[in-house]
Amino acid sequence: MDKALYISMSGAKQSMLAQQAHSNNLANVNTTGFKNDFAQARSMPVYGEHHPTRAYAMTERPGTNFQQGPLNETGRELDVAIKGDGWIAVQAPDGTEAYTRAGDLQTDSNGILRTGSGLAVLGNGGPIAVPPSAKMEVGADGTISVIPLGQPADAIAEIDRIKLVNPDSDTIEKGLDGLIRVKNGNPAAPIDANVRLEPGFLEGSNVNAVESLTEILSLARQYELHVKVMSTADQNSEAAARLLQIS
Amino acid sequence: MHPALYVSKTGLSAQDTALTTTSNNLANVNTTGFKRERAVFQDLLYQIKRQPGGLTSQDSELPSGLQIGTGVRVVGTAKEFTQGSLQVTEQPLDIAVNGRGFLQVLLPDGTISYTRDGQFQLNSNGDIVTANGHPLEPAITVPDNTSSITIGTDGTVSTLVTGDTAPTVIGNITTVDFINPQGLEAIGNNLFRETGSSGDPQEGTPGLDGLGTLEQGMVESSNVEVVEELVNMITTQRAYEMNSKVVSTADQMLQYISQNI
């Protein structure tokens, strides 16, 4: 049997993996602040004491597309979107610092400022605690100011400033929980004073639905070609077996 | 089977939840004191299929590896406590809270629930009750032969009994505020119940300490934005269609391989 069977088998398997990557992008087409993942195939030639005719394909994620998603106006005072480049620093469940673009903020019963998925937003020194307040405003530079309960409207007080960072996009990657982290060996990103927030807006997902769907359909056709080669290899070996039959 | 099948299944069920939220908002577009909800989406965990930095040989390593996401989920629905517009009804027992704060309603099981729906009525005893017959808390009873009821912006309730010249104060309506109103549990009937996440109720006089004033003869209408909901419905529907297209594509691939091998 020709070993081409295994090459087309691995090709079919890898195109299924690539489809999973694209269907994950498509599933997150409405997720606030989602960044879509690239998927690419790389040829992996087999080296050895033979004629170099075998090259397997391998799917990999070379990176994440950090382009900005659309800004959707919500009008809610605690919804913030980042205008241009930058990230909001949050505390991941394991206590480490991670970055996100999903700015649907809320306060919990202890007044800790959290994202919609419950992660504490980091300020100048750890999580931000907001005192009971009549009104709360997030400024364009991340400064949080409140009118404390029972105070007149001119008693506005600055509480903290959301930690906004802008690390180089080749020093960060998407972690296993979907949050962005600095790659191994790099220090946590420093505060960048130039990152600008747009209060009252949320950033949508930057997934291009048409692109993802087209990619999935084209991979489906490639898959069929791989299967075709598999059945051809099967027919070839059948023919060879027939020739060798002693009738 | 095909991993994309399960990923797009999560996409479909998340869009389902989002549509349910949207339709509930639209259904309550005329409900007094209703607060709209928003579905919060989050991507699921990522699987490492191939470790970035793994060694492919003694002196070469994988530059990027392969980490694939497993889909999306709806983390929760967030109630949005923005103020609805105030409508003048001229009914003396209609109260709107203009600003922060909730009116308190005593439930039959003795617990207190909270509402922004201030359409009150009188029962046969003269108690001020909601449309469901639950009494307002603190309880206020209107005496017989009352010709007019006045509710002040700070919650003072005074009545003028026929034959008297001066009105008498019969009680004070207090409102409560929560540090995190989004954490309240909606129990239907326009009522909310406190939870661990909402924090403890802080009772106060309307108009003081950041609490909103009470406006007699007005009700707060629903804060649902119809246009926004309809646009959300369009995006939800299209996202659903695309994810179902992936399901059928994955299905056809499986069909193809089982027929051709």
Side-chain angles (χ1 to χ4, degrees), chain A residues 88-90 100 102-106 113-121, chain B residues 40:
Chain A
I88 299 171
V90 295
T100 180
D104 46 345
L105 309 179
Q106 45 183 309
L113 191 68
R114 294 183 182 278
T115 64
S117 49
L119 305 167
V121 178
Chain B
V40 181

Side-chain angles (χ1 to χ4, degrees), chain A residues 18-208:
Chain A
Q19 270 191 314
Q20 188 188 350
H22 287 294
S23 57
N24 179 57
N25 287 343
L26 199 53
N28 284 292
V29 71
N30 277 340
T31 305
T32 303
F34 182 79
K35 298 288 165 216
N36 74 332
D37 297 313
F38 296 116
Q40 68 176 32
R42 191 146 60 103
S43 101
M44 302 289 279
V46 181
Y47 299 107
E49 304 281 316
H50 54 72
H51 192 56
T53 56
R54 299 284 179 256
Y56 289 85
M58 184 182 84
T59 299
E60 60 182 10
R61 184 185 81 177
T64 304
N65 178 2
F66 291 133
Q67 271 192 325
Q68 178 151 15
L71 291 187
N72 303 325
E73 202 261 340
T74 64
R76 191 169 155 263
E77 59 189 16
L78 282 185
D79 282 346
V80 291
I82 295 178
K83 212 161 45 172
D85 291 341
W87 300 89
I88 299 171
V90 295
Q91 194 171 34
D94 58 1
T96 54
E97 184 171 309
Y99 307 114
T100 180
R101 303 263 304 187
D104 46 345
L105 309 179
Q106 45 183 309
T107 50
D108 67 5
S109 59
N110 302 322
I112 303 290
L113 191 68
R114 294 183 182 278
T115 64
S117 49
L119 305 167
V121 178
L122 295 176
N124 287 328
I128 300 173
V130 181
S133 55
K135 187 114 183 65
M136 176 170 167
E137 284 285 343
V138 182
D141 60 352
T143 305
I144 298 172
S145 49
V146 299
I147 302 173
L149 274 187
Q151 301 283 326
D154 58 357
I156 201 151
E158 189 181 320
I159 298 301
D160 204 340
R161 185 170 166 182
I162 297 175
K163 183 176 179 186
L164 299 169
V165 298
N166 191 7
D168 222 347
S169 58
D170 46 12
T171 61
I172 50 178
E173 62 181 357
K174 197 189 273 191
L176 294 186
D177 48 7
L179 294 167
I180 308 293
R181 285 186 168 78
V182 284
K183 286 182 186 168
N184 285 342
N186 287 316
I191 294 177
D192 185 335
N194 297 322
V195 179
R196 281 285 164 268
L197 291 179
E198 193 64 62
F201 283 80
L202 279 181
E203 184 179 353
S205 163
N206 74 344
V207 172
N208 182 332

Side-chain angles (χ1 to χ4, degrees), chain B residues 141-160:
Chain B
T141 309
V142 178
D144 293 343
N145 306 326
T146 298
S147 60
S148 75
I149 303 173
T150 311
I151 299 168
T153 52
D154 61 352
T156 310
V157 184
S158 56
T159 56
L160 187 66

Side-chain angles (χ1 to χ4, degrees), chain B residues 177-205:
Chain B
D177 195 8
F178 295 91
I179 189 165
N180 177 27
Q182 282 197 334
L184 290 169
E185 176 196 4
I187 55 174
N189 299 336
N190 290 351
L191 300 174
F192 298 100
R193 195 176 266 157
E194 69 175 282
T195 64
S197 141
S198 67
D200 291 335
Q202 293 146 358
E203 197 170 354
T205 306

Side-chain angles (χ1 to χ4, degrees), chain B residues 50-74:
Chain B
R50 200 171 291 110
Q51 182 64 44
L55 294 180
T56 49
S57 71
Q58 206 162 7
D59 49 7
S60 63
E61 58 174 38
L62 281 173
S64 53
L66 176 62
Q67 299 174 18
I68 307 189
T70 51
V72 65
R73 66 172 173 162
V74 178

